[in-house]
Amino acid sequence: NAGVTQTPKFRVLKTGQSMTLLCAQDMNHEYMYWYRQDPGMGLRLIHYSVGEGTTAKGEVPDGYNVSRLKKQNFLLGLESAAPSQTSVYFCASRDPLGRSSSGANVLTFGAGSRLTVL
Amino acid sequence: GESVGLHLPTLSVQEGDNSIINCAYSNSASDYFIWYKQESGKGPQFIIDIRSNMDKRQGQRVTVLLNKTVKHLSLQIAATQPGDSAVYFCAEKRNNNDMRFGAGTRLTVKP
């Protein structure tokens, strides 16, 4: 099983450009999350989704939009990239009913997407 | 605001010694806590978890202790090995289903 796959792995943008990060999971997990990781600040929750067609804001949602049109995909969009959005972005998913091999509350992470905004 | 945080950003131990990584949380409504390990260039991986109605849980070489009175969580690693070198995060599940992480502690194991 691939688990959680993030694309692209690396991207360099200019200020003001837009882009979308794609997260795909093949574990039939209901919940999906987007985090950003900056040095010394750990992982901060951007947005999350508890099911297809639903999204919710996390700690740092400003400047980002998300969509969950299909259960297996969670897209993170930057409409107008800023240097402050330079970070490593992680997607994660979980099955709240614990039907998968991991527990109900355990997140399975992707390998990360490194974004640099110049 | 409420947050999950760590007492120390770095920890260096000798191979074979025990390691203790600490975490403080402030959201008394959180019902579940998890420790993750992150190796360089990878996403975090699950180590061990504990529900809020427990005070201790043991795994293979790892033990998590939860003290709800002082809102403190710790991860103990027995007989630390070089492969344990990584950044360790605690995370809490809040009752609105979002999962919040602490800043992380970098563990370095000296041979």
Side-chain angles (χ1 to χ4, degrees), chain A residues 49-68:
Chain A
S49 167
V50 298
E52 183 178 316
T54 72
T55 63
K57 294 181 180 180
E59 299 173 82
V60 288
D62 294 342
Y64 304 95
N65 56 74
V66 287
S67 64
R68 184 95 183 270

Side-chain angles (χ1 to χ4, degrees), chain A residues 33 35 37 48 59 105 107, chain B residues 34 36 38 97 99-100:
Chain A
Y33 301 78
Y35 291 88
Q37 184 173 32
Y48 65 102
E59 299 173 82
N105 294 302
L107 293 173
Chain B
I34 310 170
Y36 288 89
Q38 186 179 28
N97 285 310
M99 306 282 277
R100 301 289 178 102

Side-chain angles (χ1 to χ4, degrees), chain A residues 74-87:
Chain A
F74 195 29
L75 279 62
L76 179 70
L78 285 71
E79 289 188 351
S80 180
S84 61
Q85 294 178 304
T86 293
S87 189

